[in-house]
Amino acid sequence: MPALHIEDLPEKEKLKMEVEQLRKEVKLQRQQVSKCSEEIKNYIEERSGEDPLVKGIPEDKNPFKEKGSCIIS
């Protein structure tokens, strides 16, 4: 199936596609950014103690810890 290039379509087809997209978007449930950002912040803060990127990985559970040292003589 060939790629669809919007610039190759007639103006009427472009407008139809835009109207279809707007009809889809108007049905979406929206929330205020101020409310969502507060929820995201709380979620992150609640789980930061469990986050290995924040807390770190215990040495005994670190799968990337070197098993032994390398000695070059």
Side-chain angles (χ1 to χ4, degrees), residues 31-68:
Q31 294 183 355
Q32 294 178 340
V33 172
S34 57
K35 183 181 179 210
C36 292
S37 60
E38 187 67 29
E39 290 174 2
I40 291 170
K41 181 180 144 224
N42 291 338
Y43 178 87
I44 291 169
E45 288 175 350
E46 288 171 6
R47 289 158 180 78
S48 65
E50 305 162 11
D51 190 336
L53 295 175
V54 175
K55 186 178 177 185
I57 301 173
E59 289 293 322
D60 59 333
K61 294 184 180 180
N62 186 350
F64 301 105
K65 179 181 176 186
E66 290 187 26
K67 305 290 185 220

Side-chain angles (χ1 to χ4, degrees), residues 4-15 17:
L4 176 67
H5 296 284
I6 301 296
E7 57 273 355
D8 296 338
L9 294 175
E11 190 64 26
K12 185 176 180 179
E13 288 300 314
K14 290 180 196 177
L15 292 172
M17 289 177 70

Side-chain angles (χ1 to χ4, degrees), residues 9-25:
L9 294 175
E11 190 64 26
K12 185 176 180 179
E13 288 300 314
K14 290 180 196 177
L15 292 172
K16 279 184 184 180
M17 289 177 70
E18 185 175 354
V19 169
E20 286 176 27
Q21 182 63 33
L22 290 171
R23 285 186 177 145
K24 289 177 187 176
E25 289 179 19

